[in-house]
């Protein structure tokens, strides 16, 4: 089959899936249908205008449009397959009692089970986590009784951030459950389940030979089997920042090492029995790694390549890549949105398209590695917001050591029953692993070479890769050789329409918002951006998770902020301050500011700017923040320094003024503070606002009738965590707002909330509808 045809047909399938994703997952049906029509119309125009000159027939056009529609409807069918709502969830919850375990992964803090359950909505795949103290892994094929509440995985609650629900859909998982209890009901005796149990036990027995060396055990589990559950967090961070983490996800590199070993053992003989034996080993290795996207791609391409060699048929990397992607996406179109899938295929596309042009300058060996890295770097920056400029050089020794460790590790695994944990082979593997980890740590240089980068938009990234692939394609080379500038310009002009529709479909719902109420869970965080400046008022915080690195840093980098010009805190309660405190360790925060009442208190951060009532902080020509409270820099009456640990008594109140619109930020202002403010500002318009950030997460201890009457907001925002243990927002507070016909926007229901001001009107955007 002509490789260009196969690549184009696969590309049209991907385009159809993308249009379906925009239409259904992003809830933008108009943009999705327009993109579908735009792609179809553009390729019809290309066929009419330049098709005859470059070999595109009407029959090929019809096939292309067929695959476009196949991609769209295949995604729609899978979307419907995974669809659930509150009614289905409640019905499934009542029926959920047991599940059959298909995969087991031991993590540091829990054991993760993937399994299936027969529920009223159908056969559902479930991710179950066991956090119990005396947990021990159940085996594959076990039918387990589970007590716990089913829930839907979290969607992205802030723009540009990780969508866990979409990630799990790529694995076919619909529900998650944190098990309160899990025990065996029965064990399947089916041959496939027995085989998987034996394979699981064999893998565990092999890893147990390194149980006294947790670093070695965790690393081998990652590099040989693609499971990073026991890998030390610091080690993984070093590999990620060096750009060498790809060796910890079983990929074509690993399969290539394995094939090279098998070919060496077979002395490159092409007997069909040897070929089938290699196929069986590859499939067994796929089973061991639970068929990660990169493993599946690598094994499929390897089988196609070896089949071509055995049948004396020509094979090229582009054909294999297209065929593998086509097969995977027809079975599971949600794989297209998995980071592992994307990185796996970008790497192979880089080698297929860029190696030849680069080999004229670098030689084939170095060009192959360079092409892979050049293709991966833009996506790595987009996905992880980190980049090390020396990543290509660092990869050279790391890949060399991995090329020795992987085949040696596989051989040791195959003969692990004959080898003791303290023997020479196990000791040699341990030393080699320690050498590889140690070398990567040395080259990491405490992260001094890698830096944080902001992300491009999704559509912009897609367009960059499409242009890069086109400029590296045979079609472009032929056009250049023919000096066919007319058709080249015509081609780019025709494709402008679907490109613009793609940008529209992937637009950030809060891209134009100057004020964003970030969803940090149970806490406050407000991002102000104007005139190229980025300011944060409060920064959330939690005792069980790092809001700074887990929420604020990715949100800011995904939304164009590499630094914070100023962080203003209302007070030093954990859910307002700890997040930005942690953020300052990984992202530059140029200045901190606090209410002046903190002057001289022991908990006041060193170097913090202390604000006085009436002070105005100018962010840009259009935006400023005015300090309204506390009244003075003295501790409130009756409050001693020892009692100042009740941070709510020291709470600051700020007013954001932007293009004639006022937003009142109240922190955790209590009812007595509200009364004092109403009395102090009586007869003035200082408290009047258009948008009120409701105090204390909507608690009943705030938002008094007198305060709401003085403020008279047109809209209210409540920063509150989903299913928080405090019962916020309080029903009484919501009723007060409802009686005044004040629309309420909440982080727990709407995710991040953005405010835009256009022609003196407030436009409110929500991350989730």
């Amino acid at each position: 089959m002509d490789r260009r045809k196969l690549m184009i047909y696969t590309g049209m399938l991907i385009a159809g899936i993308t249009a379906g994703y925009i239409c259904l997952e992003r809830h933008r049906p108009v943009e999705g249908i327009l993109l579908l029509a735009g792609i179809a119309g553009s390729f019809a125009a290309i066929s009419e205008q330049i098709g005859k000159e470059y070999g595109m027939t009407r029959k090929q056009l019809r096939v292309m449009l067929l695959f476009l529609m196949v991609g769209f409807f295949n995604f729609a069918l899978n979307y419907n397959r995974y669809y659930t709502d509150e009614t289905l969830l409640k019905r499934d919850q009542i029926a959920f009692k047991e599940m059959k375990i298909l995969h087991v992964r031991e993590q540091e803090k829990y054991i993760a089970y993937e399994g299936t359950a027969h529920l009223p909505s159908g056969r559902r795949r479930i991710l179950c986590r066991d956090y119990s103290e005396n947990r021990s892994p159940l085996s594959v094929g076990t039918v387990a009784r589970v007590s716990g509440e089913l829930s839907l995985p979290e969607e992205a609650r802030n723009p540009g951030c990780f969508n866990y629900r979409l990630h799990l859909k790529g694995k076919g998982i619909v529900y998650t459950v944190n098990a309160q209890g899990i025990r065996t009901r029965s064990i399947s005796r089916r041959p496939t389940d027995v085989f998987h149990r034996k394979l699981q036990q064999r893998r565990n027995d092999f890893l147990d030979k390194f149980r006294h060396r947790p670093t070695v055990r965790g690393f081998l589990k990652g590099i040989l089997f693609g499971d990073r559950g026991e890998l030390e967090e610091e080690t993984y961070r070093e590999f990620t920042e060096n750009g060498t983490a790809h060796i910890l996800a079983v990929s074509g590199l690993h399969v290539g090492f394995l094939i090279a070993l098998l070919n060496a053992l077979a002395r490159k003989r092409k007997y069909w029995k040897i070929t089938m034996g290699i196929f069986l080993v590859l499939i067994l290795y796929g089973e061991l790694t639970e068929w990660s996207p990169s493993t599946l791609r690598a094994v499929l391409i390897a089988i196609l390549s070896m089949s071509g060699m055995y049948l004396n048929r020509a094979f090229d990397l582009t054909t294999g890549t297209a065929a593998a992607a086509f097969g995977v996406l027809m079975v599971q179109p949600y794989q297209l949105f998995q980071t592992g899938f994307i990185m796996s295929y970008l790497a192979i596309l880089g080698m297929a398209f860029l190696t030849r042009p680069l080999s004229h300058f670098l030689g084939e060996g170095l060009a192959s590695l360079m092409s892979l890295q050049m293709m991966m770097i833009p996506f790595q920056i987009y996905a992880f917001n980190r980049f090390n400029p020396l990543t290509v050089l660092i990869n050279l020794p790391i890949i060399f050591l991995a090329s020795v460790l992987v085949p040696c590790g596989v051989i040791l695994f195959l003969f692990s029953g004959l080898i003791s944990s303290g023997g020479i082979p196990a000791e040699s593997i341990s030393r080699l692993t320690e050498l590889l980890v140690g070398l990567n740590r040395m080259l990491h240089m405490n992260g001094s070479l890698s830096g944080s980068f902001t992300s491009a938009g999704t559509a912009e990234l897609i367009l960059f890769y499409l242009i890069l692939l086109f400029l590296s394609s045979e079609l472009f080379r032929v056009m250049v050789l023919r000096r066919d500038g007319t058709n080249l310009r015509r081609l780019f002009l025709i494709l402008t329409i679907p490109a613009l529709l793609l940008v529209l479909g992937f637009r950030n719902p809060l891209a134009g918002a100057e004020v964003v109420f970030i969803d940090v869970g149970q806490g406050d965080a407000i991002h102000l951006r104007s005139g190229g400046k980025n300011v944060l008022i409060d920064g959330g915080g939690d005792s069980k998770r790092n809001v700074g690195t887990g929420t604020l840093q990715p949100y800011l980098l995904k939304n164009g902020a590499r630094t914070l010009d100023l962080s203003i805190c209302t007070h030093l309660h954990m859910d307002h301050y700890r997040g930005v405190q942690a953020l300052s360790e990984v992202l530059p925060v140029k200045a901190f500011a606090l209410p002046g009442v903190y002057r001289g208190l022991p908990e006041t951060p060193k170097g913090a700017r202390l604000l006085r009532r009436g002070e105005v902080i100018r962010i840009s020509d259009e935006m400023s923040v005015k300090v309204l409270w506390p009244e003075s820099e003295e501790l409130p009456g009756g409050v001693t320094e020892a009692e100042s640990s009740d941070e709510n008594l020291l709470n600051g109140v700020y007013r954001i003024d932007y293009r004639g619109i006022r937003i009142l930020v109240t922190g955790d202002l209590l009812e007595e503070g509200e009364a004092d403010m109403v009395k102090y500002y009586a007869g003035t318009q200082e408290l009047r606002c258009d948008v009120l950030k409701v105090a204390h997460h909507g608690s009943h201890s705030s938002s008094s009738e007198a305060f709401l009457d003085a403020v008279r907001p047109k809209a209210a925002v409540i920063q509150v965590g989903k299913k928080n243990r405090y019962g916020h927002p309080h029903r009484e507070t919501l009723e007060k707002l409802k009686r005044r016909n004040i629309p309420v926007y909440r982080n727990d229901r709407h995710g991040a909330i953005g405010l835009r001001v256009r022609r003196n009107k407030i436009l409110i955007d929500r991350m989730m509808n």
Side-chain angles (χ1 to χ4, degrees):
M1 181 181 286
D2 189 289
R3 67 176 184 168
R4 286 175 294 176
K5 292 180 185 177
L6 187 57
M7 280 293 293
I8 291 172
Y9 296 156
T10 304
M12 294 302 278
L13 181 79
I14 290 172
I17 293 171
T18 303
Y21 168 76
I22 291 171
C23 189
L24 298 170
E25 280 289 346
R26 293 183 65 85
H27 310 293
R28 292 177 176 172
V30 174
E31 289 91 333
I33 297 298
L34 283 176
L35 178 62
L36 195 69
I39 294 170
S42 295
F43 275 89
I46 290 170
S47 175
E48 185 69 25
Q49 296 290 326
I50 65 175
K52 293 179 182 179
E53 297 181 45
Y54 292 93
M56 182 186 289
T57 65
R58 290 185 178 275
K59 181 180 178 181
Q60 289 173 349
L61 175 65
R62 287 195 290 270
V63 176
M64 288 166 59
L65 297 182
L66 172 65
F67 281 114
L68 178 70
M69 299 308 297
V70 166
F72 182 85
F73 285 110
N74 189 24
F75 184 87
L77 288 171
N78 277 270
Y79 175 82
N80 186 62
R81 176 183 168 195
Y82 299 135
Y83 174 79
T84 189
D85 57 17
E86 291 300 324
T87 302
L88 286 176
L89 177 59
K90 289 177 182 177
R91 205 182 304 162
D92 288 345
Q93 182 66 65
I94 294 170
F96 177 64
K97 293 182 175 64
E98 60 185 35
M99 62 180 282
K100 181 180 179 181
I101 296 172
L102 302 178
H103 298 291
V104 182
R105 284 183 177 268
E106 294 184 63
Q107 307 290 330
E108 183 180 353
K109 297 179 180 178
Y110 61 88
I111 300 174
Y113 298 103
E114 289 181 26
T116 56
H118 293 279
L119 301 171
S121 63
R123 186 169 177 265
R124 298 291 200 177
R125 193 153 181 159
I126 295 167
L127 174 63
C128 176
R129 303 183 190 88
D130 178 13
Y131 286 92
S132 60
E133 292 185 5
N134 300 318
R135 60 184 179 272
S136 58
L138 302 180
S139 57
V140 173
T142 298
V143 177
R145 287 194 174 276
V146 182
S147 59
E149 184 178 348
L150 289 176
S151 62
L152 290 171
E154 284 287 358
E155 295 182 89
R157 304 188 67 84
N158 292 300
C161 294
F162 182 59
N163 190 332
Y164 189 49
R165 185 179 299 184
L166 186 65
H167 170 73
L168 290 185
K169 280 184 178 181
K171 298 182 176 183
I173 294 170
V174 179
Y175 293 127
T176 60
V177 57
N178 290 334
Q180 297 169 354
I182 181 168
R183 58 189 177 85
T184 302
R185 187 183 73 81
S186 62
I187 298 178
S188 170
R189 300 296 177 188
R190 289 175 56 187
T192 54
D193 292 329
V194 172
F195 169 75
H196 282 112
R197 276 200 299 275
K198 289 182 177 179
L199 208 58
Q200 177 190 353
Q201 186 59 51
R202 182 72 178 269
R203 195 176 87 163
N204 291 340
D205 290 343
F206 168 73
L207 292 171
D208 281 344
K209 298 183 185 298
F210 306 95
R211 60 183 178 274
H212 300 303
R213 291 178 170 177
T215 300
V216 172
R217 176 188 166 96
F219 189 81
L220 287 177
K221 193 174 184 180
I223 196 171
L224 295 181
F225 308 119
D227 184 350
R228 299 193 299 268
E230 296 183 40
L231 188 66
E232 294 172 349
E233 185 176 338
E234 182 69 15
T235 300
Y236 181 61
R237 184 179 65 81
E238 291 166 353
F239 274 87
T240 300
E241 294 183 357
N242 274 355
T244 52
H246 59 89
I247 70 168
L248 297 168
V250 174
S251 64
L253 196 66
H254 298 64
V255 174
F257 295 157
L258 189 58
I259 291 174
L261 173 65
L262 294 172
N263 278 329
L265 294 175
R267 297 179 183 177
K268 296 186 178 181
R269 286 174 288 190
K270 297 182 181 180
Y271 300 136
W272 71 269
K273 291 182 180 179
I274 293 176
T275 302
M276 291 304 299
I278 294 175
F279 284 0
L280 289 174
V281 172
L282 291 177
I283 292 169
L284 177 65
Y285 192 56
E287 289 289 339
L288 277 168
T289 61
E290 298 181 358
W291 292 109
S292 68
S294 52
T295 309
L296 181 58
R297 184 268 301 161
V299 170
L300 284 174
I301 292 176
I303 289 176
L304 288 171
S305 172
M306 297 182 70
S307 298
M309 182 175 62
Y310 178 73
L311 298 171
N312 292 317
R313 296 288 183 89
F315 172 85
D316 68 82
L317 200 54
T318 311
T319 303
T321 303
F326 188 91
V328 171
L329 293 175
M330 283 297 296
V331 175
Q332 175 51 282
Y334 273 96
Q335 278 287 322
L336 182 60
F337 310 101
Q338 302 294 297
T339 299
F341 178 92
I342 295 170
M343 292 181 68
S344 174
Y345 281 89
L346 281 179
I348 208 77
L349 284 173
M351 295 175 66
F353 278 79
L354 302 180
T355 299
R356 184 180 172 184
L358 291 176
S359 62
H360 296 296
F361 308 98
L362 303 174
E364 193 159 338
L366 187 57
S368 179
L369 178 62
M370 183 67 77
S371 63
L372 184 149
Q373 293 296 328
M374 285 179 63
M375 204 68 167
M376 297 277 281
I377 285 169
F379 182 79
Q380 286 177 333
I381 294 174
Y382 167 82
F384 307 115
N385 300 110
R386 300 287 300 183
F387 173 61
N388 188 330
L390 298 182
T391 185
V392 175
L393 297 177
I394 293 172
N395 266 277
L396 291 173
I398 297 300
I399 290 176
F400 172 75
L401 288 175
S403 69
V404 178
L405 178 60
V406 170
C408 290
V410 171
I411 293 173
L412 188 63
F413 168 76
L414 293 174
F415 297 99
S416 59
L418 306 175
I419 299 171
S420 63
S421 58
I424 294 176
E427 182 66 22
S428 300
I429 290 292
S430 297
R431 293 294 179 88
L432 184 58
T433 302
E434 289 170 346
L435 174 62
L436 197 160
V437 173
L439 177 62
N440 187 78
R441 178 162 294 162
M442 182 186 73
L443 295 174
H444 180 249
M445 298 182 185
N446 292 320
S448 59
L449 297 178
S450 63
S452 296
F453 290 82
T454 56
S455 297
T458 304
E460 288 79 359
L461 185 75
I462 294 172
L463 292 174
F464 166 79
Y465 278 118
L466 290 176
I467 292 171
L468 179 63
L469 290 175
F470 174 71
L471 294 179
S472 307
S473 68
E474 294 175 0
L475 176 61
F476 178 73
R477 286 200 293 272
V478 170
M479 284 185 158
V480 171
L481 290 173
R482 291 184 181 180
R483 298 182 180 179
D484 193 356
T486 301
N487 278 329
L488 189 60
R489 288 190 296 272
R490 188 178 293 167
L491 181 66
F492 275 100
L493 185 63
I494 292 172
L495 293 177
T496 298
I497 294 174
L500 292 175
L501 291 171
L502 187 70
V503 172
L504 188 64
F506 278 102
R507 75 184 188 278
N508 181 337
L510 274 62
E514 294 87 0
V515 180
V516 179
F517 295 85
I518 309 168
D519 187 343
V520 289
Q522 185 64 15
D524 284 6
I526 305 170
H527 179 205
L528 311 180
R529 48 189 179 189
S530 180
K533 298 291 183 66
N534 290 280
V535 175
L536 205 61
I537 300 181
D538 286 339
D542 194 292
S543 60
K544 296 182 179 178
R545 63 189 181 94
N546 190 325
V547 172
T549 58
T551 303
L552 292 178
Q553 185 187 27
Y555 160 78
L556 291 167
L557 291 174
K558 297 292 183 188
N559 290 274
R562 288 184 62 184
T563 62
L564 272 183
D565 295 280
L566 176 64
S567 170
I568 307 171
C569 283
T570 55
H571 60 301
L572 295 182
H573 257 168
M574 177 179 64
D575 58 340
H576 292 253
Y577 174 66
R578 182 177 288 185
V580 77
Q581 186 182 37
L583 175 70
S584 65
E585 298 174 3
V586 293
L587 187 142
V589 180
K590 296 180 181 179
F592 288 92
L594 286 169
V597 71
Y598 276 94
R599 189 180 304 277
L601 295 182
E603 63 268 30
T604 303
K606 186 177 180 181
R609 175 180 172 183
L610 298 172
L611 305 172
R612 297 180 178 181
R613 180 186 53 77
E615 188 173 347
V616 176
I617 302 169
R618 183 69 59 184
I619 297 173
S620 70
D621 292 339
E622 296 182 309
M623 181 181 287
S624 63
V625 177
K626 185 172 183 179
V627 183
L628 298 184
W629 207 252
E631 179 182 355
S632 72
E633 296 183 53
E634 302 296 327
L635 289 174
V639 178
T640 65
E641 186 171 318
E643 294 170 330
S644 66
S645 58
D646 184 358
E647 304 287 349
N648 290 340
L649 298 174
L650 311 179
N651 185 83
V653 177
Y654 310 111
R655 192 185 70 218
I656 303 166
D657 295 297
Y658 183 64
R659 291 183 178 177
I661 300 299
R662 291 177 162 190
I663 304 163
L664 196 62
V665 179
T666 53
D668 281 352
L669 186 67
L670 299 177
E671 192 168 338
E672 59 242 52
E674 292 177 346
D676 290 339
M677 284 190 72
V678 170
K679 181 178 178 181
Y680 184 85
Y681 286 109
T684 73
Q685 300 293 313
E686 288 293 289
L687 296 184
R688 289 287 180 86
C689 72
D690 298 280
V691 178
L692 170 67
K693 199 294 296 183
V694 177
H696 210 181
H697 322 291
S699 167
H700 64 83
S701 63
S702 303
S703 303
S704 64
E705 301 277 4
F707 185 73
L708 292 176
D709 289 339
V711 174
R712 294 173 60 183
K714 298 174 184 176
V717 176
I718 303 178
Q719 296 217 260
V720 61
K722 189 177 180 182
K723 295 182 179 179
N724 64 86
R725 66 179 184 272
Y726 306 104
H728 294 159
H730 198 274
R731 184 179 61 184
E732 181 183 333
T733 302
L734 295 176
E735 288 175 352
K736 291 177 187 177
L737 296 168
K738 185 177 181 180
R739 284 198 298 269
R740 290 167 173 79
N741 295 317
I742 301 171
V744 176
Y745 300 88
R746 299 163 46 173
N747 286 141
D748 60 333
R749 293 186 176 180
H750 303 126
I753 298 158
L755 305 184
R756 291 179 290 143
V757 180
R758 299 294 182 270
R759 297 179 182 177
N760 295 324
K761 290 184 179 180
I762 302 174
L763 302 177
I764 299 180
D765 302 308
R766 297 167 292 179
M767 185 66 191
M768 303 163 63
N769 295 314

